[in-house]
């Protein structure tokens, strides 16, 4: 990147800094902005250079851009534009959030997942920029037209995909491109998240590791943690029951849609949040939330300040894994030797299991019985082992 271009980014970033800081204070809680500040103007890391290339193409308004450092192509821009418009994201707001404000990097070590992806969040907390494998990028390109039609006609908790970019760094021409996917930040609300859960509906290996628990407030708990801590989604108000019914219908519909596109390995991400009365009165359009009773946290030792309400933010994440030949082999081997309830399952079975679990989140006794029944029927000779190479099963 030329010195003039770098200077332009610095100038525009500093010029917008105070406005973005003010917007951030008004909108997303600082506790919901993970990671650390990313220096896109001077750092030489892959995340910084890729983010820098994306900022260039967004500032130019073009669908592709080439500089001394990288070339970048925006894929299916007209489709993503329709999705952004449906969710109330104008091009100006979208491009300003990602190109003018400071960005925050969440590294592999800080993330709770099993992949080597990095995550970059916009300063206003509305967007998550995620590096994805080429297979995930191709999955999105294959379904994005159907995805647009689905989200435009259904109430959904599917990820809000806003853009897909292919970045080729100049000194890595022989290496695969860096694929960057922009999506909404599921947990980017005003209320500070006090506990997160990643729920797949499976039982084998679905307990947070000691390493994950050591993160404290930043930890991500899983299915068996949710059950063992007797957590539940108990609506705080009678009118919330109707909203919960809508959630359940959406989750079942979304899971069936994903199965129809041969996709597995997705999760429901929940973020329990302590919310002041003032924050409660100012909902943000880019997050889905439900007010729940304090008892929804079960026996977790989490203190909610006096006078605060408990919210839960929710959304489906990581839904671009195709059930390919490798996954079929994984399912056959692990199902025979390790567990009958491993995460990897054929799409229709994965969707049914996911829906059975998440639609019982408001009924802790039913959920506990479901889990016990699955565990009884899932025992295999090597049940003490984790699944094939899954970092999220580490102890």
């Amino acid at each position: 990147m030329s010195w003039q271009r770098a200077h332009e980014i610095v100038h525009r970033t500093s010029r917008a800094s105070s406005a973005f800081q003010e917007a951030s204070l008004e909108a997303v809680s600082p506790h919901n902005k993970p990671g650390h500040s990313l220096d896109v103007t001077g750092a030489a890391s892959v995340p910084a250079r890729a983010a820098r290339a994306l900022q260039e193409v967004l500032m130019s308004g073009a669908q592709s851009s080439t500089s001394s450092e990288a070339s970048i192509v925006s894929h299916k821009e007209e489709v993503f534009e329709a999705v952004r418009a449906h969710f109330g994201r104008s091009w100006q707001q979208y491009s300003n959030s990602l190109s003018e404000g400071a960005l925050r990097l969440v590294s592999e070590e800080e993330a709770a997942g099993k992949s080597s992806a990095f995550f970059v969040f916009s300063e206003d907390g509305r967007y998550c920029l995620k590096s994805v494998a080429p297979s995930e990028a191709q999955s999105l390109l294959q379904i994005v037209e159907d995805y647009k039609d689905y989200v435009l006609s259904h109430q959904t908790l599917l990820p809000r995909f806003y853009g897909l970019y292919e970045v080729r760094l100049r000194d890595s021409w022989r290496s695969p491109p860096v694929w960057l996917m922009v999506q909404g930040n599921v947990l980017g609300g005003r209320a500070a998240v006090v506990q997160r859960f990643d729920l797949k509906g499976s039982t084998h290996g679905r307990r947070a590791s000691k390493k994950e628990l050591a993160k404290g407030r930043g930890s991500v708990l899983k299915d068996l943690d949710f059950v063992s801590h007797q957590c539940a989604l108990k609506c705080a108000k009678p009118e919330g029951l109707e909203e919960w019914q809508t959630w359940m219908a959406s989750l079942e519909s979304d899971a069936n849609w994903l199965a129809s596109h041969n996709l597995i390995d997705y999760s429901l991400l929940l973020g329990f949040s302590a919310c002041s009365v003032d924050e409660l009165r100012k909902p943000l359009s880019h997050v889905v939330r439900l007010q729940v009773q304090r008892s929804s946290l079960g026996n977790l030792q989490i203190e909610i300040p006096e006078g605060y309400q408990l919210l839960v933010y929710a959304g489906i994440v990581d839904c671009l894994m195709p059930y390919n030949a490798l996954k079929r082999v994984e399912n056959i081997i692990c199902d025979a030797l390790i567990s009958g309830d491993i995460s990897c399952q054929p799409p229709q079975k994965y969707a049914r299991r996911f829906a059975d679990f998440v639609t019982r989140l408001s009924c802790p006794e039913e959920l506990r019985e479901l889990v016990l029944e699955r565990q009884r029927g899932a025992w295999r000779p090597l049940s003490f082992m984790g699944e094939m190479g899954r970092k999220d099963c580490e102890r």
Side-chain angles (χ1 to χ4, degrees):
M1 180 173 60
S2 66
W3 178 90
Q4 290 89 346
R5 196 62 169 164
H7 177 74
E8 180 182 350
I9 291 178
V10 172
H11 175 66
R12 294 189 65 176
T13 300
S14 61
R15 185 183 61 191
S17 178
S18 60
F20 268 88
Q21 288 175 0
E22 182 179 346
S24 297
L25 288 173
E26 181 182 343
V28 177
S29 167
H31 294 289
N32 299 348
K33 299 178 184 179
H36 58 275
S37 181
L38 176 64
D39 178 13
V40 298
T41 60
S45 65
V46 170
R49 296 175 64 197
R52 197 155 61 218
L54 176 60
Q55 287 188 327
E56 285 199 48
V57 75
L58 290 175
M59 284 193 296
S60 69
Q63 293 193 21
S64 64
S65 175
T66 301
S67 69
S68 60
E69 182 167 311
S71 67
I72 183 168
V73 176
S74 173
H75 289 272
K76 297 285 186 178
E77 173 57 30
E78 68 285 350
V79 179
F80 289 114
E81 182 181 14
V83 174
R84 292 194 300 264
H86 175 71
F87 288 117
R89 306 290 99 199
S90 70
W91 169 257
Q92 182 178 8
Q93 192 277 332
Y94 172 73
S95 60
N96 286 352
S97 289
L98 291 168
S99 64
E100 293 191 345
L103 301 175
R104 300 187 66 82
L105 173 68
V106 178
S107 65
E108 177 187 0
E109 280 300 307
E110 295 172 285
K114 61 183 181 295
S115 71
S116 58
F118 61 82
F119 301 80
V120 175
F121 289 82
S122 61
E123 184 181 20
D124 62 7
R126 297 178 186 273
Y127 302 105
C128 171
L129 176 65
K130 178 185 178 183
S131 66
V132 295
S135 59
E136 290 183 273
Q138 292 307 314
S139 289
L140 181 54
L141 289 174
Q142 289 169 11
I143 68 168
V144 70
E145 295 277 1
D146 288 346
Y147 165 81
K148 180 199 71 173
D149 294 339
Y150 180 81
V151 299
L152 265 60
S153 58
H154 292 76
Q155 286 189 287
T156 177
L157 276 81
L158 288 177
R160 298 182 179 185
F161 295 124
Y162 292 136
L164 181 66
Y165 303 89
E166 181 183 1
V167 182
R168 291 188 179 273
L169 302 176
R170 284 288 183 181
D171 58 358
S172 305
W173 290 127
R174 296 183 181 179
S175 301
V178 178
W179 287 90
L180 300 177
M181 178 177 69
V182 181
Q183 59 189 18
N185 178 11
V186 172
L187 305 183
R190 297 185 193 276
V193 172
V194 296
Q195 185 60 66
R196 293 178 289 170
F197 283 91
D198 179 277
L199 306 175
K200 291 180 180 291
S202 58
T203 59
H204 185 74
R206 295 299 296 169
R207 194 183 299 277
S209 66
K210 293 179 181 179
K211 178 181 177 181
E212 183 65 25
L213 293 174
K215 297 178 182 178
R217 182 173 179 164
S219 66
V220 180
L221 303 185
K222 300 183 179 178
D223 307 66
L224 295 182
D225 302 306
F226 191 94
V227 175
S228 64
H229 286 294
Q230 301 174 31
C231 298
L233 297 186
K234 302 176 182 178
C235 297
K237 297 181 178 180
E239 55 267 29
L241 292 174
E242 183 177 349
E243 189 171 358
W244 170 240
Q245 294 289 337
T246 301
W247 278 27
M248 288 196 292
S250 295
L251 288 166
E252 288 193 75
S253 175
D254 293 346
N256 289 331
W257 185 87
L258 292 168
S260 73
H261 289 79
N262 202 42
L263 297 171
I264 63 169
D265 214 28
Y266 44 89
S267 308
L268 177 65
L269 182 62
L270 299 179
F272 284 98
S273 307
C275 180
S276 69
V277 175
D278 186 53
E279 292 165 340
L280 191 62
R281 293 170 179 163
K282 300 177 181 179
L284 294 172
S285 62
H286 66 278
V287 290
V288 178
R289 70 178 201 175
L290 182 69
Q291 187 177 350
V292 294
Q293 300 173 24
R294 290 189 176 211
S295 59
S296 296
L297 288 171
N299 57 30
L300 286 171
Q301 300 300 307
I302 297 176
E303 185 177 347
I304 306 298
E306 188 66 30
Y308 274 57
Q309 305 298 318
L310 189 64
L311 292 181
V312 62
Y313 298 116
I316 293 174
V317 296
D318 298 333
C319 65
L320 296 176
M321 176 62 70
Y323 189 66
N324 52 26
L326 184 61
K327 286 295 181 181
R328 289 185 175 89
V329 172
E330 179 182 344
N331 173 257
I332 292 171
I333 294 175
C334 291
D335 186 85
L337 299 175
I338 296 176
S339 172
D341 198 30
I342 59 170
S343 176
C344 181
Q345 299 290 342
Q348 293 295 341
K349 185 175 180 180
Y350 192 104
R352 287 195 302 271
R353 184 185 61 184
F354 175 80
D356 284 346
F357 189 94
V358 298
T359 55
R360 287 175 169 81
L361 293 178
S362 62
C363 306
E365 289 303 320
E366 287 187 26
L367 190 59
R368 181 173 178 273
E369 287 301 317
L370 176 69
V371 167
L372 290 175
E373 181 181 348
R374 286 183 180 170
Q375 289 177 318
R376 283 193 293 265
W379 187 90
R380 299 293 187 272
L382 302 179
S383 288
F384 61 90
M385 294 179 61
E387 294 179 48
M388 298 169 65
R390 295 182 70 94
K391 286 176 60 180
D392 53 352
C393 290
E394 292 177 357
R395 299 294 178 190

